[in-house]
Amino acid sequence: MVPWTVEVDRIDWQAYACRCGERGHVGEDLRRIISARSAAETGGATLEGHVEDEVMIAPVAVPATGVIMAALQEDLWAETRGELMLVLWRVVLGAVDEREKAEIHDRVRDGLWILYREAARGDTESALEILEHVEHDRARLAHFRAAAAPRLKKHMGRPGA
């Protein structure tokens, strides 16, 4: 049993509207993306344009956020981790409806240490930016940000970083 599969299976995906206008497919898309170890294994599944579309988020973003946080605990294919972090970043920063925003932020806070681990080992900049929006302990975040500063400088010098 893998925690993210339990999370994806417990949700009635038909109950949530998607940015594409359909319902029900986001759970299966998440399953494909998270399980993938290559582009071929994703079967073309993407969350962009479904959970979010760079302008707005869909109601399905709330349960998808819980699945994403559960999945980020796992050893994922690098492309999958990157896509999940990008979607999470867009959802956290893009939520404008106060109720939806509160639900998304609560789900992210449930896995707060996952983001701190990501900031220490993975996508430091995105993880810290997400934490800026959800972390209540501002002193902890400031201390962690200072500790991560050398990592940020190191990655800022790379092309595409």
Side-chain angles (χ1 to χ4, degrees):
M1 173 179 61
V2 182
W4 73 264
T5 61
V6 174
E7 185 68 7
V8 80
D9 289 343
R10 78 178 188 85
I11 296 164
D12 174 10
W13 295 100
Q14 290 292 336
Y16 295 95
C18 176
R19 292 293 303 151
C20 74
E22 295 183 20
R23 292 175 178 262
H25 67 88
V26 171
E28 188 55 37
D29 292 347
L30 280 161
R31 186 178 296 284
R32 281 181 147 161
I33 292 165
I34 296 166
S35 298
R37 296 289 179 216
S38 70
E41 288 182 19
T42 67
T46 182
L47 300 175
E48 187 176 349
H50 300 284
V51 172
E52 46 76 27
D53 65 6
E54 294 187 29
V55 177
M56 293 185 66
I57 63 169
V60 75
V62 174
T65 298
V67 174
I68 289 169
M69 292 303 295
L72 286 172
Q73 298 180 79
E74 304 298 328
D75 179 26
L76 302 170
W77 177 45
E79 298 296 321
T80 294
R81 184 169 294 283
E83 179 173 354
L84 295 180
M85 283 299 295
L86 178 60
V87 170
L88 187 63
W89 179 83
R90 286 179 176 162
V91 166
V92 168
L93 277 63
V96 291
D97 176 80
E98 289 305 316
R99 185 191 57 75
E100 223 167 48
K101 180 188 278 189
E103 286 185 57
I104 288 167
H105 288 197
D106 285 346
R107 288 178 191 227
V108 173
R109 278 187 211 101
D110 286 343
L112 198 65
W113 288 106
I114 294 166
L115 290 175
Y116 277 111
R117 184 185 71 204
E118 186 68 28
R121 298 183 189 164
D123 185 349
T124 304
E125 191 172 2
S126 294
L128 289 174
E129 193 163 5
I130 293 166
L131 285 163
E132 267 311 312
H133 290 268
V134 301
E135 173 63 277
H136 289 307
D137 188 336
R138 305 314 285 175
R140 175 175 48 208
L141 179 58
H143 188 77
F144 197 90
R145 184 178 286 286
R151 182 173 168 76
L152 279 170
K153 284 181 190 174
K154 178 180 162 186
H155 291 285
M156 293 304 235
R158 291 187 326 202

